[in-house]
Amino acid sequence: QVQLVEAGGGLVQAGGSLRLSCAASGRTFSNYVRAWFRQAPGKEREFVAAIMWTSGSTEYADSMKGLFTVSRDNAKNKVVLQMNSLKPEDTAVYYCAAQYMYIYRRPSAYPYWGQGTQVTVSS
């Protein structure tokens, strides 16, 4: 079992930045994948970014590329999502997720989820 806890959400003005983190504990595999999804009210959960722990390989949703950055904090066993140039449409609950093989973009591929952290971008 893997336990995930997100932190760093909050209220930010459009154009600002936030740094989210996801702390993991429990059982992990060598090819452990950590991903970020988000879900706005009334919308489906959508893929944001992911990183493969062993290789550091990353993937991003097209709309996030160049603006959001996912990275590893090996010492703290955390995954970080740096979000820059935030827009009101980025408002959502952001979830950390994990699985053990490959980076997938569908939420159903991820058996482990955090509780989510609210990100609100005001205009």
Side-chain angles (χ1 to χ4, degrees):
Q1 297 293 311
V2 175
Q3 294 79 47
L4 304 171
V5 180
E6 303 96 336
L11 176 65
V12 65
Q13 194 172 36
S17 300
L18 282 175
R19 179 182 178 272
L20 307 183
S21 65
C22 174
S25 61
R27 186 180 181 183
T28 59
F29 294 163
S30 61
N31 287 328
Y32 183 42
V33 172
R34 305 274 282 278
W36 289 96
F37 291 80
R38 68 184 185 185
Q39 188 166 21
K43 303 293 185 180
E44 293 184 353
R45 191 165 297 188
E46 66 173 338
F47 176 80
V48 174
I51 185 166
M52 187 171 291
W53 196 261
T54 301
S55 67
S57 178
T58 59
E59 291 188 13
Y60 297 89
D62 289 342
S63 61
M64 321 298 176
K65 198 170 186 178
L67 299 174
F68 292 4
T69 303
V70 63
S71 61
R72 300 173 294 179
D73 186 339
N74 292 327
K76 298 179 180 179
N77 194 28
K78 291 183 177 181
V79 169
V80 173
L81 181 68
Q82 179 67 44
M83 305 187 294
N84 298 324
S85 300
L86 285 164
K87 304 175 289 293
E89 50 262 44
D90 294 317
T91 295
V93 177
Y94 283 72
Y95 295 92
C96 181
Q99 48 121 314
Y100 296 112
M101 293 184 69
Y102 305 106
I103 294 175
Y104 298 103
R105 297 185 179 226
R106 62 184 191 276
S108 61
Y110 293 81
Y112 305 108
W113 293 85
Q115 295 289 334
T117 184
Q118 177 71 48
V119 171
T120 302
V121 184
S122 65
S123 59

